[in-house]
Amino acid sequence: MRRVSDALQRATVSMMALVVAPLFFVWACGAPINVKPLTSEDISSLQSAGKDADEKYIILPGDTLQIRYTFHPEMNQEAAVQPDGKITVSLLGSIAVGGLTTTRVGQLIVEKVSDQLRSPEVVVNITRFAERNVYVGGEVNKEGMVRYRRGLTPLQAIIAAGGLTDSARADSVILVRRTGESDEDTISRKLNLVESVAEGKEMIFLAPEDILYVPKTSIAEANVWVRQHITDLFPFFRGSVGVSYRGQ
């Protein structure tokens, strides 16, 4: 009876190996990731949110604004945006700035103060940003939030998240960015960080609330599939056939 059982086990293992082998070939060729790669047309629009933060950035509570009067320097001041989205401005009192750009805030102050100052010209900048983050997930050593700062690049964010794992697919990192107020107003693009490292430069900067997702290589996915569907279900399969495929 033992011989029959051993023969049956060997036959089952051989059959499973024949089934798995063609799948390894498919996985090794690389599973497609259906996200558009970053193009030159994308770079200017995506980069502006990360690099030109004062022009495109939407003011949020916790930010600190610098208000400068070109012809009335004695009026210059800094103002912290309160939890209700308002700041206190000399001569004007409390005004709402949350959700506006710095350009619009400057225009608003000019409109309100023009009856008290002659030919006012106001420039508003952000001197300190409220703490905000980008999220880095997938095949990194420490998934989670990374503190945002102006000029943060995808590679720098991944390094801050502990770097890539051995199973990371660095040529297909997914960037997801909100482009409007709705959760549905997003854009996603595939970044090739292998090229970025080889060329010594990155094409875009990150913006607050960006999401970076690093997928697994096709080989890593294959090994997970084998573990979940074969070795865990068929304990006798362990050690009988070398199912772990290691690609270059």
Side-chain angles (χ1 to χ4, degrees), residues 61-63 65 79-89 93-98:
D63 290 335
L65 307 184
V81 183
Q82 301 303 311
D84 61 359
K86 295 181 179 180
I87 60 173
T88 300
V89 179
S94 180
I95 64 172
V97 299

Side-chain angles (χ1 to χ4, degrees), residues 135-139 143 172-175 211-216:
Y135 179 81
V136 184
E139 294 303 295
E143 284 188 290
S172 299
V173 175
I174 308 303
L175 168 65
I211 297 172
L212 282 178
Y213 177 76
V214 183
K216 288 184 177 181

Side-chain angles (χ1 to χ4, degrees), residues 117-138:
L117 297 175
R118 183 166 58 183
S119 302
E121 184 177 298
V122 177
V123 178
V124 178
N125 295 305
I126 299 175
T127 56
R128 286 188 294 274
F129 291 92
E131 181 175 344
R132 47 184 57 82
N133 306 293
V134 299
Y135 179 81
V136 184

Side-chain angles (χ1 to χ4, degrees), residues 204-217:
I204 64 169
F205 298 98
L206 296 178
E209 300 182 4
D210 275 357
I211 297 172
L212 282 178
Y213 177 76
V214 183
K216 288 184 177 181
T217 63

